[in-house]
Amino acid sequence: MAASVQGGRIGNLPAEANAFVGRQLELAEIAGLLGTERLVTLTGPGGVGKSRLALRAAHAAKAGLPGGAWLVELSELRDPDLLTNTVAQATRLTEQTLQPLLQAVCEHLAGAPVLLVLDTCEHVLDECARVVQELLANVPELRVLATSRQPLGVPGEHLLTVAPLPLGERDDAVSLFTARAAAAVPSFALTDANRADVAAVCARLDGIPLALELAAVRLRGFPLHRLLEGLDSRFDLLVSPARPRLARHQTLRTAIGWSHELCTPLERLLWARLSVFAGGWDVEAAEFVCHGGPLDAEEILALLASLTEKSIVTRDGDGAAVRYRMLDTVRSFGAEWLAGLGEVEAVRRRHRDYFRWIARQGEAEWLGPGQRMWAERLTAERANLRLAIEECLAAPEPETALELTGSLWFFWFACGFTEEGRGYLERALRRAPDGSGPEHTLAVWAHRLVTVVPEDLDAAESVSAAYVWLADERQLPVPALPLTGASLAVRGESARSAVLYGRVGQAPAADGGAEFFQLLTLALQAYLLASQAAFERCAAVAERLRTECAKRGELWMRGWGDFFVSLAGIGLGHSDEALLSAREALTAKWRVHDRLGAAAVADLLVAAQAARGEEELAARLLGISRRLWHAAGLPQLGRPDRTVFHREYERRLRASLGDARFAEVVREGWELGPDAAIALALGGVSDVSGP
């Protein structure tokens, strides 16, 4: 018997209470899937909008379904044995029968294409899986659209993860908040004056539709800026006064708490402990930081998989690059539980100590074939490193902060974070102004090292003395590095720098523990020679640097070797060779996330292409160069605008293209996205991954 028409329409879909906002890509994908798949399950965390999206998709599909579109709301169901009865009632099966009820439902739905929407399946998951499998086997015309915080696990199930709404001043999250705010407070409108605050509210709430709707209603009693300030206690602030809302959606706390109730005790404990991470984590980090008590390290991977299935944790990447993360709202819920357990201090200490160990490992392995891996790993862990540093700075022993910030010298110096590193090092050193010992010495040296790049180069003149202390602490038989001369060269005092430097051809001493200093000395030699226009000797030293780096499988310093070979080539008029070396340098710099180095290399590409007669390409690369310097947030190393070739090529480009065309093409380069810009700079290569 076919499903009947009720009240002049087929199905039981409720009218939508307000306008549906955004999700056009998801709706199109669901429509396509329902045309080819028999079971589609929308998964995602609580409050992300699975139910509303499924309802909108069902309304869009019902015109093509002679058997109707039927909504089965399961959130209030507590007894799984009543699931089939709930489906029967929702689809208006009213006839009395002696046959098994599920068989009667199958016959009731058969005869025409029909859609069954099972909303909120996670708490009766096993019974849902059994019933759906039976329905699909016996009703060939049936399509099922389910919503659940974890998959049903039925053969043939197609999963579609519903993410939070896109963030940004003109994206769906802002549109939804604005629409609901205007409904709650008719005078509210999005303006240039409040756009940034609205975007900030949406970002603080992770773009979660439920949170945005609850926040919008609070504008009846709070001005926007007060609402933004109050989001620090979001679970208390975001309470719905509306009676019709489902119980699990009355407050943000109960929406997230619904997921918490579905977890086992060990899953809840892991959720709470994971809340100490910022920005994400990998399995190793979770095992180290979150083990203890009833939670063994060996259990954590399986528990992470379970939390991922339940949409509490999100998994990104594959293989060794797999990382996990939580929405900030979900993390905040876990943090409250961690505080209730009285474990905050202990778990934060383990988090701090884990990243101290990671920093030491990265320092030990930086000069070698694992360099790119370490650059990517520490860049991914940047938020956790910040958190660990803050924890160290708050510790009573200043040595922990000195050690961590100093051990990360290679990250600050080589991966484009010199300004940030300098700030942390200064804070750590202020806590121990009269300090001594290896941690203090390392931090002093690291601080002096990162000052080679920013504008206050006077501080770099004391780095040689700092290195004497460091060499003594670490028993490194390497003479003091001539960074005093280098700092003068950076400021254009190349003649004086040559006198202070001494014999530029002198080879540095070599020692296993001093490899970085050996390579850096060669790079400084090349820098000083280039600043004096001694291009042939510069190329010879740079080739030695490249050879030494190749022996170690080292990328970052090898990129500087390529840089100076290219610079010497430009100086000698060998533009084709200079172009090839500059592209090799950019590839290396981009792969290890060295934004400063990439910007410096881009300047060489401008000069090389201009010298080859590629005026428009050179001008476009100039725009890319300016954008890279802007992204690096640092002054241009060595002030390339002061060099003869830089001024000459820019003058030539303006003369050749005309001021208007020159400005237009430079702007085009500036507006390119990072990937497109690097691909253009590399001559169309698009497989170089970077920051």
Side-chain angles (χ1 to χ4, degrees):
M1 78 188 64
S4 59
V5 176
Q6 300 291 332
R9 62 186 177 88
I10 297 178
N12 70 337
L13 300 181
E16 296 180 272
N18 46 29
F20 187 85
V21 177
R23 301 283 195 199
Q24 296 309 306
L25 292 177
E26 291 94 331
L27 286 171
E29 187 170 0
I30 293 170
L33 288 172
L34 290 177
T36 59
E37 308 293 335
R38 299 195 62 206
L39 170 60
V40 178
T41 302
L42 308 183
T43 63
V48 81
K50 302 182 296 295
S51 299
R52 184 65 192 274
L53 179 60
L55 181 61
R56 177 92 290 271
H59 272 292
K62 67 182 181 183
L65 298 167
W70 303 89
L71 173 66
V72 184
E73 172 55 62
L74 302 176
S75 63
E76 304 300 328
L77 181 65
R78 290 294 176 267
D79 184 353
D81 293 337
L82 296 178
L83 177 63
T84 301
N85 186 273
T86 302
V87 174
Q89 291 178 357
T91 56
R92 312 286 166 69
L93 174 59
T94 57
E95 295 186 9
Q96 298 291 329
T97 176
L98 296 178
Q99 64 183 329
L101 184 58
L102 186 53
Q103 181 181 341
V105 171
C106 291
E107 293 181 2
H108 177 60
L109 294 176
V114 59
L115 175 65
L116 197 64
V117 181
L118 297 179
D119 187 31
T120 315
C121 300
E122 56 267 11
H123 60 303
V124 286
L125 198 68
D126 292 341
E127 185 65 8
C128 274
R130 186 189 73 81
V131 169
V132 166
Q133 197 162 358
E134 188 75 15
L135 289 171
L136 291 174
N138 291 281
V139 186
E141 306 90 347
L142 176 66
R143 297 285 187 274
V144 176
L145 178 61
T147 74
S148 178
R149 301 189 190 190
Q150 63 187 109
L152 303 187
V154 173
E157 179 181 28
H158 189 99
L159 299 176
L160 179 62
T161 300
V162 181
L165 292 171
L167 296 169
E169 292 188 8
R170 303 186 185 278
D171 282 326
D172 288 350
V174 167
S175 298
L176 178 64
F177 180 85
T178 302
R180 300 300 185 256
V185 183
S187 62
F188 182 86
L190 186 65
T191 66
D192 289 340
N194 67 15
R195 188 182 300 276
D197 280 350
V198 169
V201 168
C202 295
R204 289 291 307 279
L205 297 175
D206 296 310
I208 297 175
L210 172 62
L212 297 176
E213 295 197 0
L214 293 174
V217 171
R218 300 302 292 173
L219 289 177
R220 291 174 180 165
F222 292 86
L224 182 61
H225 72 278
R226 289 288 303 280
L227 174 65
L228 181 57
E229 293 169 359
L231 291 182
D232 287 336
S233 54
R234 70 191 74 184
F235 293 114
D236 297 322
L237 179 68
L238 302 184
V239 179
S240 171
R243 292 289 182 187
R245 191 180 292 273
L246 292 171
R248 72 180 192 279
H249 287 170
Q250 285 293 318
T251 71
L252 186 60
R253 186 189 302 277
T254 54
I256 305 299
W258 175 271
S259 290
H260 199 257
E261 292 174 10
L262 300 173
C263 292
T264 66
L266 285 182
E267 289 170 351
R268 294 176 187 177
L269 179 59
L270 180 57
W271 179 352
R273 291 178 177 176
L274 290 171
S275 69
V276 301
F277 287 102
W281 64 88
D282 59 21
V283 173
E284 180 185 80
E287 289 174 344
F288 185 97
V289 174
C290 299
H291 80 280
L295 189 55
D296 293 334
E298 291 77 11
E299 298 177 280
I300 286 177
L301 179 58
L303 291 170
L304 274 174
S306 182
L307 290 176
T308 301
E309 277 204 342
K310 292 177 178 177
S311 301
I312 294 160
V313 165
T314 301
R315 181 180 184 271
D316 299 315
D318 295 299
V322 169
R323 287 184 64 78
Y324 299 85
R325 60 183 174 84
M326 286 190 292
L327 293 174
D328 189 55
T329 303
V330 176
R331 186 200 62 77
S332 296
F333 189 93
E336 288 192 359
W337 275 81
L338 189 66
L341 294 171
E343 292 193 354
V344 173
E345 184 176 349
V347 180
R348 282 184 178 174
R349 188 183 306 113
R350 288 202 297 271
H351 177 278
R352 177 200 70 184
D353 291 342
Y354 175 76
F355 285 99
R356 288 172 63 195
W357 176 76
I358 286 294
R360 291 195 297 269
Q361 287 291 107
E363 183 192 20
E365 299 176 15
W366 175 247
L367 289 178
Q371 188 175 84
R372 182 180 181 184
M373 179 276 291
W374 278 109
E376 292 176 349
R377 183 175 186 180
L378 293 180
T379 299
E381 299 289 11
R382 188 179 173 194
N384 282 311
L385 289 171
R386 287 171 170 171
L387 199 63
I389 291 171
E390 293 295 345
E391 192 72 15
C392 288
L393 288 167
E397 311 86 4
E399 292 79 14
T400 57
L402 292 168
E403 177 207 35
L404 179 52
T405 56
S407 296
L408 288 169
W409 61 263
F410 65 98
F411 182 61
W412 311 132
F413 189 60
C415 297
F417 301 110
T418 51
E419 199 70 21
E420 181 175 338
R422 185 171 60 154
Y424 280 131
L425 285 160
E426 287 174 351
R427 289 175 62 190
L429 288 166
R430 279 199 298 269
R431 294 197 64 222
D434 301 318
S436 60
E439 297 89 357
H440 186 269
T441 302
L442 177 63
V444 169
W445 179 82
H447 179 253
R448 296 296 184 263
L449 182 65
V450 297
T451 59
V452 172
V453 176
E455 285 178 328
D456 59 338
L457 293 167
D458 289 337
E461 298 186 15
S462 62
V463 75
S464 294
Y467 179 61
V468 171
W469 308 334
L470 183 63
D472 182 62
E473 294 281 0
R474 294 190 167 190
Q475 298 182 337
L476 302 178
V478 182
L481 286 176
L483 294 184
T484 299
S487 70
L488 292 168
V490 168
R491 289 176 290 180
E493 299 178 45
S494 57
R496 185 181 168 206
S497 73
V499 173
L500 291 175
Y501 187 90
R503 295 176 57 200
V504 295
Q506 181 180 349
D511 181 79
E515 288 181 315
F516 170 76
F517 310 104
Q518 177 192 8
L519 298 178
L520 182 59
T521 301
L522 285 170
L524 291 170
Q525 288 177 5
Y527 191 100
L528 291 167
L529 288 164
S531 72
Q532 299 163 43
F535 295 121
E536 290 185 355
R537 286 189 291 161
C538 171
V541 172
E543 286 290 357
R544 287 174 51 205
L545 175 58
R546 296 206 297 187
T547 300
E548 292 298 323
C549 292
K551 291 178 183 177
R552 299 163 173 81
E554 199 275 349
L555 279 176
W556 179 76
M557 197 67 80
R558 165 64 189 264
W560 285 120
D562 292 324
F563 173 91
F564 289 117
V565 168
S566 176
L567 192 152
I570 292 171
L572 294 169
H574 304 156
S575 57
D576 289 343
E577 293 85 346
L579 178 62
L580 292 176
S581 293
R583 284 176 171 171
E584 289 179 7
L586 182 59
T587 299
K589 292 301 182 184
W590 197 248
R591 281 177 173 163
V592 296
H593 303 259
D594 183 358
R595 294 175 294 174
L596 173 66
V601 175
D603 283 343
L604 293 187
L605 287 167
V606 173
Q609 293 289 16
R612 298 173 69 247
E614 300 284 350
E615 285 90 356
E616 288 216 354
L617 177 56
R620 196 167 282 109
L621 289 169
L622 182 60
I624 291 172
S625 166
R626 291 176 178 175
R627 186 61 177 265
L628 289 172
W629 282 115
H630 178 77
L634 296 169
Q636 294 179 340
L637 186 61
R639 301 295 303 273
D641 57 300
R642 291 183 178 179
T643 62
V644 174
F645 75 80
H646 194 279
R647 291 199 306 268
E648 175 61 21
Y649 286 125
E650 182 164 340
R651 183 197 63 77
R652 184 187 303 176
L653 290 173
R654 284 187 177 276
S656 175
L657 299 174
D659 287 345
R661 180 60 180 161
F662 173 80
E664 179 183 358
V665 177
V666 169
R667 185 177 65 253
E668 290 173 359
W670 171 275
E671 292 175 351
L672 283 176
D675 291 337
I678 297 302
L680 177 65
L682 294 176
V685 177
S686 59
D687 62 346
V688 178
S689 60

